[in-house]
Amino acid sequence: MADRILTPRGLDAELVSVGAAAPALRLAVSAINSAWGRTGGRGQVAACRSDEDTLTLAASAASRALGAAGVGPGSIDGLWWGTSRLPFAEGPSWSTLAASLRLDTSTDGTAIAGSPHSGVDALLAAADAVAAGRVRTALVVASEALRPALGSGHETAAGAGAVALVLRRDGAGARLDSVASRFEPLLDRYRGDDETETRDTYDSRLVREEAFMPLAADVIGALGMHPDTRWSLADPDGRLAKGLSRKLKLGDPVSAAVRTHLGDLGAAAPLAGLVAALGESGPAALLAWGGGRATALGLAVDEPVPGAPEALGDLLAEGMPADYARVLRSRGQLEATGESVEMAIPPGSAMFVRDLREVLGLLGARCVNCGVVNLPPSAHPSCPGCGGDKFDVAELPHHGTVQTFVVNQTMPAPFEAPLPLVVVDLDDGSRVQLQGSDDGSALEVGMPVELVLRRYTIERGVPVYGWKVAT
Amino acid sequence: MTWNRASIVGAGLIKMGELFDQSYEQMARGAFDAAVASVDNGFDTSDIDAVFVATQRGTLWGQEGIGGNTVPSAIGLNGVACTRIENACPSGSDAFRVGAMAVASGAYDTVLVIGVEKMRDKSSEEGLLARAAGGHPVYTRGESAPVLFAPFATRHMHDFGTTKEMLASVAVKNHHNGCLDPYAHFQYEVTVEQVVEAAPVCSPLGLLDCCPQTDGAAAVILTTPEKARDHTAAPVHVAGFGVATDHPYLHEKSGYVGLTATVEASGRAYEMAGIGPADIDVAEVHDCFTITEILDIEDLGFFEKGKGGIASAEGETSLTGRIPVNPSGGLLAKGHPIGATGIAQLTECWWQLRGQADERQVKVHNGFALQHNVGGRGSGVSVVNVLTTNE
């Protein structure tokens, strides 16, 4: 084995808040096994509804982190997003997320994808930009929603979830203070360029003995953390973390509860696992793993990080039990035969170009004459209230109450019934009509609701995002 | 003082239904023949100066070019002037209004207004109810036809205590009337219990709260009041009409217990006819869903806002009620072949005013019948026509 040079370094960036999000569905591992004629299997994994994906989870976690930091999107000047797999293999993944968060169009940053290591890559890139003074306040998001190969070992592990952090140079909270990385060009979890689903290696013991254990031990050792350090350990198969912590005497990993509840969160796993350690001061560290890389990162939690208890609650939320067929349908791995209903207007056409930022940012136009808000502004040159033609941009609030609603009970593919449609009176007096984000069974006239970013459809390969109403 | 500058001398329709065995053109021919045959003193089809064709979407998606120039040739009038009118669900009633104005203007003496719609050449899954693909790609995604009306049911029930049983009473009445109308798509009675317990389609509306997808055609011959005397001793005159629009998206509505376009359109029609809602003897109104008829009878001024549900349940709109509504069976039982719907309603009004409606004949005191449609994106357009036998 070649000589390895470890480079511990201090990073001048403080973690000032955290937010997290889990998808709606929970699938028992035994249900996956049963579908493949295998018996048993413990635990569960989290899975997206058909309108959730790595981007919508990222958006939810990010808005919660911003809320916990008490800063608006206008204070963010850099967005770094790590995920194994972006919603557009090529295309505006990062800018779609940024627009939905209403970040300024001059915002710095990038999306980093391609392996479960990408979440920590995003964090380190953001920390470097903050330390260098290139950005003042950075938003870091790590999210995951994989499409595992059916029947593979990876299928019983693959979960979904997201975590987001706000980083600032002179903040309070948790300090990033050391990092060590190693790589080996090895094959563990992977997907070829012409493949649609992620597979794991055919020999898990080979990965454990020749790759995971030695690299992980190397970077953890290089970090030289205090014995009381609370560790968040990447745990791709649900067993590796336990073996590693026993071998290196790291104590019970703080990431265990999230891993048990949601499965392997891939690029989001190390940071999601760390959330449990951010609520109390003391030393903490994480191990990121994937794509032939291992990185250990040490933190000093000087004081509890705002948002940590809520984020942990969001990650450990109960979720909705789902059967195997529903999860396959949601991931697009089980599709009805026949023609499905296309949108009247194809994504990428002129109308999308005209109003996509308005739709993603939930922007309206407020009439300077009578105050009525219309949306989308590009479709309304005249005020519906007074016919006026002068408007201010209105950033619509994400909360309101139900004015009226319906629940569509029978829908053609690609829709899934029941499908609620809700007219919502937003807190600023404006009004929107949007789909409901769940089955609509809890909807009532007058009840308070929240708007959440969701994926409306994938058409001609293009994911289309917009806001929905959550009860 | 009624307008009376154009008069109906003939009207007819074909039996509504899933007419898999008939083409768009064959349906048009059938309606035209029925209208011609209905003229009391006979009619020379070469007297027709112009044709106005109402078709919302030819063979409902896929052949939108159908209609217009394809109709005259199909009905043996090749060469005659022809224009297609598309104005959503009121396409037929609006084509009638345009035809009446064309006659009143003096440009033409006699015009044919014909509505034709082929709803079932596409599978029901691809039809209007299910499609959910129109409008804004995100804000209205999933907005199938019932979504334009069901939110009003939710809110009407919330605000006025209207019940599912009251909604059901509309379907019960219209199915009953449909059994008396040989042209109706459905010819069976339903009970309140059956309607309430029917499979949910778009909560709070169930299957029997919804009109079917129906093929059909209907035609009306309009001429000047003077020429009308040559054709019949009992012409029916156009007393007035009104059209109004409203914002196209649900989130722009001023409220969810009534349709503003109907209020405006009927106000204009009443004013033009010089009458009020109390003068109407019989009404054919747009009941694409049970809730729609309840909204209509309030918005048209027959009942106070909020009282339409209880009035329906108490039989005030039945054939023998205070104001009989949809004696033909309405869209719920007769069917809703969109372009043909308004003209079929006008045909029923013509029969009712002339005392030709057989078992479903209502008592005519004042000599006024009202015909109404509302539709389009967000019920953004409504048309009301008032007919009269009064000179």
Side-chain angles (χ1 to χ4, degrees), chain B residues 4-151:
Chain B
N4 289 23
R5 292 187 209 165
S7 309
I8 304 174
V9 295
L13 66 156
I14 60 170
K15 164 82 169 74
M16 307 286 191
E18 292 183 316
L19 307 180
F20 295 122
D21 59 332
Q22 292 185 47
S23 69
Y24 177 92
E25 289 79 7
Q26 286 170 320
M27 296 194 305
R29 176 85 219 193
F32 177 55
D33 289 350
V36 169
S38 76
V39 182
D40 293 337
N41 302 339
F43 184 76
D44 180 352
T45 58
S46 67
D47 285 347
I48 292 173
D49 299 316
V51 178
F52 296 94
V53 179
T55 288
Q56 210 245 337
R57 304 186 195 198
T59 61
L60 217 79
W61 276 287
Q63 295 186 50
E64 272 70 26
I66 212 164
N69 67 312
T70 65
V71 168
S73 161
I75 62 175
L77 295 179
N78 190 43
V80 75
C82 183
T83 301
R84 172 175 164 183
I85 308 279
E86 192 287 304
N87 206 355
C89 287
S91 291
S93 36
D94 202 26
F96 177 80
R97 179 186 68 105
V98 171
M101 292 194 296
V103 168
S105 75
Y108 299 122
D109 283 339
T110 304
V111 303
L112 172 73
V113 183
I114 183 164
V116 198
E117 204 79 65
K118 202 76 181 103
M119 306 283 285
R120 291 293 282 113
D121 271 20
K122 288 279 173 80
S123 73
S124 55
E125 289 77 11
E126 292 175 86
L128 186 66
L129 282 176
R131 194 152 160 102
H136 189 279
V138 172
Y139 285 115
T140 64
R141 176 91 178 142
E143 194 180 82
S144 58
V147 170
L148 298 173
F149 296 93

Side-chain angles (χ1 to χ4, degrees), chain A residues 55 59 62-63 66 73 76 79 81 92-108 139 352 355-363 395-396 398 453 465-467:
Chain A
L55 188 144
S63 68
L66 290 176
I76 300 297
L79 168 68
W81 176 22
S93 298
W94 182 93
S95 42
T96 299
L97 177 61
S100 77
L101 293 169
R102 294 175 174 159
L103 299 188
D104 190 88
T105 53
S106 66
T107 301
D108 201 340
L139 180 59
F352 273 85
D355 75 358
L356 194 53
R357 269 193 69 209
E358 296 167 355
V359 171
L360 289 172
L362 195 65
L363 304 179
E395 293 190 338
L396 303 186
H398 294 102
L453 191 76
Y465 297 93
W467 294 85

Side-chain angles (χ1 to χ4, degrees), chain B residues 123-185:
Chain B
S123 73
S124 55
E125 289 77 11
E126 292 175 86
L128 186 66
L129 282 176
R131 194 152 160 102
H136 189 279
V138 172
Y139 285 115
T140 64
R141 176 91 178 142
E143 194 180 82
S144 58
V147 170
L148 298 173
F149 296 93
F152 292 78
T154 302
R155 195 72 214 196
H156 207 278
M157 293 162 100
H158 177 269
D159 287 9
F160 303 122
T162 303
T163 62
K164 289 182 101 164
E165 287 73 15
M166 292 178 192
L167 298 185
S169 70
V170 174
V172 171
K173 168 185 67 83
N174 290 355
H175 272 259
H176 172 75
N177 294 354
C179 290
L180 306 176
D181 180 354
Y183 295 95
H185 183 166

Side-chain angles (χ1 to χ4, degrees), chain A residues 152-458:
Chain A
S152 69
H154 177 51
E155 190 184 17
T156 55
V163 59
L165 309 166
V166 173
L167 255 56
R168 216 161 29 208
R169 194 166 180 170
D170 302 310
R175 230 167 347 105
L176 307 179
D177 64 16
S178 54
V179 61
S181 289
R182 302 308 282 276
F183 80 87
E184 278 291 337
L186 57 90
L187 192 65
D188 55 345
R189 218 190 69 187
Y190 66 100
R191 179 166 67 90
D193 192 40
D194 59 350
E195 294 180 324
T196 57
E197 289 160 344
T198 303
R199 291 184 281 165
D200 59 0
T201 184
Y202 62 92
D203 191 337
S204 59
R205 284 190 55 76
L206 172 68
V207 169
R208 174 191 161 92
E209 296 305 324
E210 292 300 316
F212 184 86
M213 286 298 181
L215 258 69
D218 226 347
V219 293
I220 287 170
L223 222 55
M225 294 298 289
H226 188 277
D228 292 343
T229 297
R230 294 153 302 159
W231 278 91
S232 166
L233 299 175
D235 193 0
D237 71 350
R239 292 188 302 271
L240 286 166
K242 199 172 176 185
L244 184 68
S245 64
R246 191 181 301 136
K247 183 177 170 188
L248 301 182
K249 300 186 170 49
L250 301 176
D252 291 335
V254 292
S255 47
V258 171
R259 176 65 180 80
T260 303
H261 195 67
L262 298 177
D264 176 28
L265 299 190
L271 291 170
L274 189 69
V275 169
L278 296 177
E280 287 175 40
S281 45
L286 62 79
L287 169 74
W289 165 262
R293 303 190 69 191
T295 292
L297 180 70
L299 299 93
V301 183
D302 299 325
E303 50 189 78
V305 176
E310 295 81 2
L312 191 61
D314 288 328
L315 290 170
L316 299 181
E318 198 172 349
M320 183 193 304
D323 61 22
Y324 186 60
R326 167 145 196 200
V327 169
L328 292 192
R329 274 205 323 273
S330 297
R331 286 197 199 116
Q333 292 175 305
L334 180 65
E335 290 187 321
T337 304
E339 275 183 49
S340 69
V341 176
E342 289 188 341
M343 284 187 297
I345 300 152
S349 63
M351 185 175 186
F352 273 85
V353 172
R354 281 197 300 272
D355 75 358
L356 194 53
R357 269 193 69 209
E358 296 167 355
V359 171
L360 289 172
L362 195 65
L363 304 179
R366 188 182 305 279
C367 176
V368 299
N369 181 45
C370 73
V372 164
V373 173
N374 74 51
L375 84 158
S378 58
H380 291 264
S382 299
C383 169
C386 71
D389 62 355
K390 292 192 172 56
F391 304 97
D392 293 326
V393 173
E395 293 190 338
L396 303 186
H398 294 102
H399 292 87
T401 56
V402 174
Q403 165 65 226
T404 188
F405 67 95
V406 301
V407 184
N408 265 318
Q409 303 284 355
T410 58
M411 295 294 283
F415 295 97
E416 282 181 35
L419 175 70
L421 276 100
V422 192
V423 179
V424 181
D425 290 335
L426 297 175
D427 288 349
D428 68 349
S430 58
R431 187 177 277 173
V432 291
Q433 175 202 341
L434 295 165
Q435 285 186 15
S437 70
D438 52 26
D439 67 2
S441 57
L443 281 168
E444 282 177 35
V445 170
M447 77 186 297
V449 287
E450 181 187 7
L451 304 192
V452 292
L453 191 76
R454 290 290 182 265
R455 190 182 66 202
Y456 269 71
T457 186
I458 300 176

